[in-house]
Amino acid sequence: MAASVRTFVRSLSRKNACFAAVLRQSDCRWFTGAAEDRSTHFGFETVSEAEKASKVYKVFENVAQKYDVMNDAMSLGIHRLWKDALLHVMHPQPGARLLDVAGGTGDIAFRFLDYIRSQQEKQQRRAMSLGQTPSWRDISDGYPAGGGAPESAVVVCDINKEMLKVGRQRADSRGVTTGLSWVVGDAEELPFNDDQFDLYSIAFGIRNVTRIDQALKEALRVLKPGGRFLCLEFSKVTNPVLERLYDAYSFQVIPVLGEVIAGDWKSYQYLVESIRKFPDQEEFKGLMEDAGFFCVQYFNLTGGVVALHSGFKL
Amino acid sequence: MYVNFRYQAESPKSDVARRLSVLLDMATLLRGLRAAGALRGLGGVLAAPTATNPQFCRLRRGFYCAALRLQDESKSDKASSSSSSSSSTSYHEHYQAHSAQQDTAGQHHSDPAAEGTSSSADGQSEYQDEEYESEEQLQARILTAALEFVPLHGWSMEAIAAGAESLGLSSASTGMFINGSGELVLHFIADCNTKLTEILAEQHNQVQLGQAEKKKTSEFLRDAVETRLRMYIPYIETWPQAMSILLLPHNIPDSLKHLSNLVDDIWYYAGDRSTDMNWYTKRAVLTGIYNTTELVMVQDSSPDFQDTWAFLDNRIQDVVNMATTAKQVQSTGEAVVQGLMGAAVTLKNLAGLNQRR
């Protein structure tokens, strides 16, 4: 039945673009044959959906080695504060499992592990301060547990192998060995079973996804009931004065920095253009609610330059 | 949607009229919930434009059999899933049935009959019906479950996380509670107030039906405050922490509101219908008694808190004595004034000032 419908629609799409557009909006996974007919944005230019994925892959392949340096240079180090804010809002409880999508170089993952560790230390200190000398049993329980209570773990998933390679190198240099795994995967089609993760985060990655609604549906799928979806992304600046400054900075300074530091003007031109093409705070909130998230809210950071969206799977 | 049980008592005193009014309230509640369910169902339908989405169908079917399963669990009687509609929880199922009907034009009407008995299969579907209870109801459920873990973790986010996990939700759902510990304590207090109101209403009914004696005011107040404070006994170890949380600036408005509701309810059921300054003085006095008794309770180590109840007795006695003393002072004052007036008139007579020529 799927094949016949597919041919039927293909013939119609040549005659009537509107009708095909209506069908496109429905969640038809089998409608892959017409991917070339659908177009999307790649920065300010229009490309077909099939092309966008490969173009984005090439962009990140080029920038992978200098990614962290460029982040610091472009945002003047403020991106660290944004990512810290994400962790504070996330407030992971001990034993939580995080899936960090598009988390290539592992910034969020390392912060997550640090946060969990400091919370556990705080708990231990609180238990100690109650004035009880720990028995031998308590002390031996404090040693790294093999089984027992579920340990927190973070899975970093990225479509780009180069970014994951850089991330793994950073993990080795930091000496992080347990609780971290690196998986190659597409945000629109995650290689995980349903109901696996407590937390799903995607920091500065969702604007590169070809079909955002698909990525949101996948996020809903892999989250446990009660799980939380967090998205950190560039968004609309609320203040008009700041907006003018931000636009000037984005289009005049950032590509130049890209050329000087990383030797790649076009990738960073794509970066600032893709930021402009991304839906604003309210629209993205609507997309999340359509995908099925509840209690959706967003926080504007740095005057709206970055927005942190949060939703729950209930 | 919050039905305030207090207002049911304001209806006519006669038994039949009261029961009718209760039924009417339930009917309006049903209608309102049905409307809410319809809206929610509409919203759900709009959210997934293709109703042919198989996951969504599974969701709806799963929701309905999960609704039945929840009924079963609440009565721990899995066999009678079909007869559960005849039980006292039929109102709840009515709501589910009506909202289900209005959502997807009888899409799964035939399913429950077949799947009602096999509802144990789908563990996940129990949480998919969350979209049919509101987010506030889910938060209330999580907080109620978290109360069990309070003796272990204190009034904190860890208790809420443990509560969420006991319901099968991920600990990440604690992110819904921005003011976690405050919300937990306030939820508990609201719960206790509701329970107390129910107990007082029941006692009131008993008196109305003539099955119990009407208590004296002081005795009534004493019993009400004792009942209310006894609800804290399971959490008495951590109650000082809860009191300090309630004193945080952002929690003060809510805690004051709960306290004033509590005191108002107690006086209402004690029979106070005053409309003058007495209204304020009575509530202020009871607030004072309640707060001081609570403070005594948290540091009381006598068996079954006898010292606390003795303290409570003494305070209520003080108030009663004060009231009688006030009355006595007033009547004495009036008598003294009259005596003085009489003396003054006598003196004037003696001095001949009252004669008229």
Side-chain angles (χ1 to χ4, degrees):
Chain A
M1 185 200 121
S4 60
V5 183
R6 198 188 304 147
T7 45
F8 170 68
V9 170
R10 260 213 206 114
S11 63
L12 274 180
S13 69
R14 279 178 216 121
K15 291 172 197 169
N16 191 344
C18 301
F19 184 68
V22 167
L23 280 174
R24 274 203 289 275
Q25 279 168 20
S26 60
D27 180 32
C28 316
R29 301 281 288 272
W30 44 260
F31 198 45
T32 50
E36 306 88 47
D37 295 349
R38 291 200 298 271
S39 69
T40 178
H41 53 83
F42 178 78
F44 286 156
E45 56 173 294
T46 313
V47 299
S48 72
E49 283 191 358
E51 249 191 301
K52 171 161 180 175
S54 57
K55 286 181 98 122
V56 169
Y57 193 95
K58 266 204 231 51
V59 163
F60 281 93
E61 213 176 8
N62 294 341
V63 308
Q65 290 302 322
K66 293 284 173 93
Y67 186 72
D68 297 309
V69 174
M70 276 303 296
N71 276 347
D72 275 331
M74 287 189 292
S75 66
L76 308 170
I78 303 179
H79 74 106
R80 295 160 193 266
L81 297 177
W82 294 331
K83 288 169 182 163
D84 289 341
L86 173 64
L87 258 297
H88 277 295
V89 169
M90 193 192 286
H91 193 54
Q93 298 292 324
R97 281 167 49 88
L98 168 70
L99 173 65
D100 185 24
V101 176
T105 50
D107 270 339
I108 303 291
F110 297 136
R111 279 178 170 79
F112 176 83
L113 292 171
D114 288 341
Y115 197 101
I116 295 276
R117 199 166 359 103
S118 75
Q119 273 210 306
Q120 279 172 342
E121 281 170 11
K122 217 191 311 178
Q123 263 185 348
Q124 279 171 356
R125 250 183 289 135
R126 208 190 307 156
M128 298 252 281
S129 75
L130 287 179
Q132 295 172 329
T133 47
S135 68
W136 269 116
R137 187 145 309 190
D138 292 335
I139 296 178
S140 67
D141 283 344
Y143 293 147
E151 283 291 313
S152 349
V154 55
V155 176
V156 181
C157 177
D158 200 300
I159 199 172
N160 197 305
K161 294 195 193 67
E162 298 302 315
M163 297 285 279
L164 286 175
K165 248 186 248 167
V166 172
R168 254 210 298 264
Q169 283 165 9
R170 288 180 67 195
D172 290 338
S173 67
R174 286 166 80 117
V176 178
T177 44
T178 57
L180 189 54
S181 43
W182 309 87
V183 173
V184 175
D186 184 355
E188 296 178 23
E189 223 175 309
L190 289 169
F192 305 106
N193 288 333
D194 297 359
D195 305 330
Q196 291 286 311
F197 297 99
D198 297 292
L199 297 157
Y200 176 113
S201 74
I202 181 164
F204 304 116
I206 201 158
R207 71 179 186 280
N208 299 315
V209 167
T210 315
R211 298 197 55 195
I212 295 179
D213 53 339
Q214 198 58 40
L216 290 173
K217 286 205 179 68
E218 277 293 287
L220 194 68
R221 181 181 68 83
V222 301
L223 276 174
K224 282 189 206 160
R228 191 172 193 185
F229 169 90
L230 289 152
C231 168
L232 195 63
E233 192 53 76
F234 292 105
S235 201
K236 284 276 169 303
V237 178
T238 39
N239 185 334
V241 173
L242 192 59
E243 192 183 350
R244 298 260 292 277
L245 286 171
Y246 179 56
D247 279 347
Y249 181 77
S250 298
F251 287 100
Q252 313 298 336
V253 177
I254 288 185
V256 173
L257 279 177
E259 183 60 42
V260 165
I261 301 182
D264 191 350
W265 176 288
K266 292 177 85 91
S267 299
Y268 290 94
Q269 185 70 24
Y270 160 72
L271 171 85
V272 296
E273 288 177 359
S274 65
I275 292 174
R276 295 300 174 290
K277 283 303 218 180
F278 188 70
D280 69 3
Q281 285 92 327
E282 283 295 331
E283 268 178 64
F284 191 67
K285 177 175 167 184
L287 282 174
M288 282 174 70
E289 283 171 348
D290 288 343
F293 287 102
F294 289 93
C295 294
V296 178
Q297 49 177 326
Y298 62 84
F299 310 96
N300 278 339
L301 305 173
T302 323
V305 173
V306 167
L308 170 57
H309 283 79
S310 148
F312 290 88
K313 170 179 179 174
L314 294 177
Chain B
M1 258 343 104
Y2 171 56
V3 176
N4 192 339
F5 287 108
R6 172 165 58 148
Y7 294 119
Q8 283 182 7
E10 283 178 0
S11 56
K13 293 241 174 37
S14 84
D15 183 35
V16 172
R18 197 181 3 89
R19 290 210 171 125
L20 265 177
S21 68
V22 168
L23 275 175
L24 280 171
D25 280 334
M26 296 289 245
T28 43
L29 183 63
L30 257 180
R31 246 179 279 129
L33 283 171
R34 217 187 304 159
L39 281 173
R40 203 165 286 286
L42 272 176
V45 167
L46 285 172
T50 53
T52 52
N53 188 338
Q55 191 188 17
F56 206 68
C57 283
R58 226 186 313 127
L59 223 145
R60 303 265 176 197
R61 231 181 297 131
F63 141 71
Y64 199 76
C65 70
L68 289 174
R69 178 153 164 259
L70 282 174
Q71 301 294 320
D72 295 344
E73 280 182 358
S74 66
K75 293 192 306 298
S76 64
D77 187 8
K78 285 212 187 294
S80 64
S81 60
S82 53
S83 64
S84 62
S85 53
S86 57
S87 73
S88 58
T89 51
S90 62
Y91 140 69
H92 184 61
E93 199 174 329
H94 246 278
Y95 156 58
Q96 309 277 26
H98 281 291
S99 69
Q101 275 174 17
Q102 293 188 325
D103 289 337
T104 52
Q107 185 176 356
H108 52 268
H109 254 19
S110 53
D111 292 340
E115 292 197 310
T117 47
S118 67
S119 53
S120 55
D122 210 351
Q124 294 308 326
S125 61
E126 184 175 356
Y127 312 111
Q128 286 165 348
D129 73 358
E130 247 67 289
E131 53 188 1
Y132 292 91
E133 70 174 344
S134 73
E135 292 153 6
E136 287 80 24
Q137 284 173 327
L138 177 67
Q139 288 181 357
R141 275 209 305 149
I142 295 180
L143 290 176
T144 313
L147 288 175
E148 277 180 54
F149 299 92
V150 163
L152 178 58
H153 294 292
W155 302 87
S156 65
M157 284 298 241
E158 282 93 41
I160 301 181
E165 273 167 12
S166 77
L167 285 181
L169 295 176
S170 151
S171 61
S173 51
T174 57
M176 281 196 287
F177 305 102
I178 315 158
N179 178 21
S181 43
E183 284 190 46
L184 186 56
V185 179
L186 289 169
H187 170 84
F188 174 62
I189 292 209
D191 217 20
C192 288
N193 285 356
T194 318
K195 269 191 250 176
L196 178 72
T197 319
E198 282 170 13
I199 293 175
L200 291 179
E202 185 54 43
Q203 285 178 359
H204 185 78
N205 290 350
Q206 297 264 322
V207 168
Q208 293 289 307
L209 293 173
Q211 288 169 2
E213 290 291 314
K214 188 165 160 60
K215 291 189 213 164
K216 274 174 46 180
T217 309
S218 60
E219 203 186 310
F220 183 90
L221 292 180
R222 188 210 177 287
D223 285 340
V225 174
E226 184 183 337
T227 316
R228 180 63 172 78
L229 286 176
R230 277 192 185 274
M231 295 181 193
Y232 290 161
I233 292 182
Y235 305 100
I236 200 70
E237 299 291 317
T238 47
W239 195 248
Q241 184 195 3
M243 287 173 77
S244 63
I245 289 172
L246 286 178
L247 283 174
L248 289 173
H250 49 266
N251 288 329
I252 285 183
D254 285 321
S255 70
L256 280 181
K257 185 182 67 147
H258 284 305
L259 180 61
S260 64
N261 282 346
L262 167 71
V263 166
D264 194 29
D265 280 342
I266 295 181
W267 266 120
Y268 180 82
Y269 283 105
D272 174 47
R273 300 286 182 274
S274 52
T275 47
D276 53 356
M277 204 57 194
N278 271 333
W279 193 92
Y280 294 98
T281 53
K282 281 178 169 167
R283 278 149 186 77
V285 158
L286 186 58
T287 310
I289 296 176
Y290 177 81
N291 282 339
T292 47
T293 316
E294 197 182 351
L295 282 170
V296 168
M297 191 172 166
V298 292
Q299 49 83 49
D300 188 8
S301 51
S302 62
D304 196 33
F305 300 93
Q306 282 159 4
D307 289 349
T308 312
W309 313 134
F311 177 87
L312 177 60
D313 278 333
N314 291 341
R315 295 290 75 72
I316 300 227
Q317 209 50 47
D318 284 347
V319 169
V320 168
N321 289 347
M322 196 99 67
T324 30
T325 315
K327 276 206 204 78
Q328 284 172 349
V329 162
Q330 197 182 17
S331 55
T332 313
E334 278 171 13
V336 163
V337 163
Q338 284 199 350
L340 285 176
M341 291 290 287
V345 166
T346 313
L347 281 174
K348 279 165 90 173
N349 282 339
L350 286 175
L353 291 171
N354 267 354
Q355 289 187 13
R356 252 179 286 159
R357 296 265 166 78

